[in-house]
Amino acid sequence: MKHLAILLICVSALFMVQCKNGKQTASVEGDTQQTEKMIRPVNVIATYEWPGNTSPFKVLQSTCVGDVLSVVVEYSGGCETHDWTMNTNRVWMKSLPPKINLFLEHDNHGDNCRALIQDTLLFDVTNLRYPQGKQANFILNNDPTRVIEYKY
């Protein structure tokens, strides 16, 4: 009974800390360890236009599970913090299922280090549900070969 009470207190404290920081996280399994990753929002900006270039990176894999878009990226760096944003203007293409462009932007803040880094970026795509459907497709960075199915 005493152990159960201690366990409940620990779980409650962990839950309160998780809620206090206000960040949504998800568990991501890697080759050797499991890490917590922040789930970022997709920015919907009606006037958004793809700038055409950002700090260099390569998309290795992209999938959508539930309402979370997972993008595995590779880039060089290691000395500075890198920022990632996903943007869209929410202009739907006339297709079945409907398609929308998503644009992943990378800012390396001038990081000239040469370590090759792989990272998994997570994005909440709940606000990108097509109103009259149960599925939409995302096109990543205007690349028609990089189509991601989103079923909801």
Side-chain angles (χ1 to χ4, degrees):
M1 187 71 163
K2 199 183 251 187
H3 294 295
L4 180 61
I6 291 172
L7 179 63
L8 287 173
I9 291 170
C10 290
V11 169
S12 297
L14 181 62
F15 179 73
M16 288 175 13
V17 167
Q18 189 77 357
C19 290
K20 186 175 181 178
N21 72 15
K23 293 181 181 176
Q24 191 177 4
T25 61
S27 225
V28 176
E29 287 194 36
D31 293 340
T32 57
Q33 66 181 358
Q34 188 172 16
T35 58
E36 290 288 319
K37 293 281 184 179
M38 179 179 67
I39 299 177
R40 298 167 168 88
V42 174
N43 303 314
V44 178
I45 306 165
T47 58
Y48 178 80
E49 291 186 27
W50 170 240
N53 62 358
T54 67
S55 299
F57 69 97
K58 182 178 182 181
V59 175
L60 301 178
Q61 181 182 2
S62 53
T63 57
C64 200
V65 177
D67 293 324
V68 177
L69 172 61
S70 171
V71 182
V72 180
V73 293
E74 183 176 76
Y75 57 95
S76 64
C79 297
E80 300 291 334
T81 300
H82 291 234
D83 291 324
W84 299 89
T85 56
M86 184 76 74
N87 301 302
T88 184
N89 57 13
R90 197 186 256 152
V91 173
W92 292 96
M93 297 174 201
K94 293 182 181 179
S95 61
L96 288 175
K99 294 178 185 167
I100 191 170
N101 278 307
L102 299 181
F103 300 98
L104 181 60
E105 294 187 27
H106 173 217
D107 185 352
N108 68 3
H109 297 285
D111 189 348
N112 290 322
C113 290
R114 297 178 183 233
L116 194 56
I117 301 167
Q118 284 188 12
D119 200 1
T120 302
L121 309 172
L122 304 175
F123 297 93
D124 181 357
V125 294
T126 307
N127 63 343
L128 298 179
R129 292 181 174 183
Y130 189 75
Q132 292 83 28
K134 296 287 181 193
Q135 179 180 346
N137 286 346
F138 303 139
I139 298 175
L140 192 56
N141 287 7
N142 242 0
D143 181 355
T145 64
R146 179 100 28 218
V147 176
I148 308 151
E149 288 185 352
Y150 172 40
K151 295 182 180 183
Y152 44 93

